[in-house]
Amino acid sequence: MEKTAFIARTGGPEVIEWREAELPPPGAGEVRMRHHAVGLNYIDTYHRSGLYPIDLPGGLGSEAAGVVEAVGEGVTDFAVGDRVGVFGPARGAYATARNVSTDLLVPLPDSVDDRTAAAILLKGATTAFLIEDCAEVQSGWTVLVHAAAGGVGHLAVGWLKAIGASVIATVGSEAKAARAREAGADHVILNRQEDVAARVRDISGGAGVPVVLDGVGKATWQASLDSAARRGLVVSFGNASGPVDGVNLGILASKGSLFVTRPTLFDYAVSAQDKRRLIARVFAMLEKGAITPEIGQSFALTDAADAHRAIEAGETVGSTVLIP
């Protein structure tokens, strides 16, 4: 009997329920994947709360690492015993095992253990596409990274430094400032004590920055606009403080003909080849030491509700892993 999380209604962490059932054999083009570690991501809370609507009842979680236990008809690129990972877009990773389409699978190298893979697949792929495919950051540019001690933010700092960019990081505490500096940030701004945009303008000699990576959303939107250089790009990719709404396009003109995008990973990782290409870049950065997942905490899989409470309260540091 396998355990699987689901929600029948949206709401707080208390809506997460568990059921036990036997898995049928994998279908054509599928494998049965035994989960050894499951990644917690902020988007999981959006699905649970209803901020990002899903069909109900529905599963939660998109990221996991484990091993292939059985293969369905027509599967030739994976075999029983292969170590594999998934990072979406299909949900259902909050489970001890499940049947997964091979289009969603990425192979895991021996050098990357299950916990590390579960902590870095989705966040790493997100970091890769944001910096290289979406913003197309070039060596020598200066990039503002909000929430630089968080999962994606921390990886982004290391990735940007590896490609020759300069990083201005915003964080909420001295402890998180230390983490951002350790990752390589050139400048760190304590966003609860300082005027972020004023500091960015000071650091940049008044010009602002060509790229802002903003995973926070509503609380940092104005600072992002005020920090961007003329014809700069604001990449708004998350809603940790709530969604950005009521956007007046005229503001973009008045701030210097700015560009704004609200990208999602799976418009950049559409095919199996796209997913494996992104993850290959992540593992290459991991191997050279440019990025580290820094697992800050772990929870039992069935304590996922407690993990959701912790991440929403800002009590987590780095990545969080759920262990079946």
Side-chain angles (χ1 to χ4, degrees), residues 14 31 43 49 59-60 62 94 111 128 133 189 208 233 238 241 250 272 281 303 310 322:
E14 70 279 357
V31 306
I43 194 171
S49 70
L60 289 174
S62 58
Y94 289 13
S111 59
D133 298 339
I189 300 172
L233 172 65
S241 66
R281 286 154 56 190
D303 290 335
L322 308 176

Side-chain angles (χ1 to χ4, degrees), residues 144 146 195-202 204 206-209 212 214 220-230 234 251-252 254-256 258:
L144 174 62
H146 288 298
D195 183 321
V196 171
R199 278 290 315 281
V200 170
R201 292 288 172 179
D202 182 58
S204 62
V209 295
V212 179
D214 188 345
T220 51
W221 173 245
Q222 190 62 50
S224 293
L225 293 176
D226 291 341
S227 298
R230 180 176 285 125
V234 177
I251 294 295
L252 305 182
S254 67
K255 296 294 182 182
L258 301 184

Side-chain angles (χ1 to χ4, degrees), residues 250-313:
I251 294 295
L252 305 182
S254 67
K255 296 294 182 182
S257 299
L258 301 184
F259 295 85
V260 174
T261 182
R262 182 59 177 88
T264 60
L265 170 60
F266 295 105
D267 283 326
Y268 289 79
V270 179
S271 67
Q273 291 73 25
D274 291 337
K275 295 178 181 66
R276 293 167 195 175
R277 173 182 55 84
L278 282 173
I279 292 302
R281 286 154 56 190
V282 172
F283 289 149
M285 282 289 190
L286 185 64
E287 184 175 357
K288 69 189 293 186
I291 59 173
T292 56
E294 294 207 2
I295 300 170
Q297 50 282 309
S298 60
F299 293 79
L301 177 63
T302 50
D303 290 335
D306 290 335
H308 276 226
R309 292 184 183 97
I311 196 172
E312 289 183 304

Side-chain angles (χ1 to χ4, degrees), residues 10-21:
T10 57
E14 70 279 357
V15 304
I16 300 174
E17 302 180 62
W18 294 88
R19 61 185 170 208
E20 293 188 359

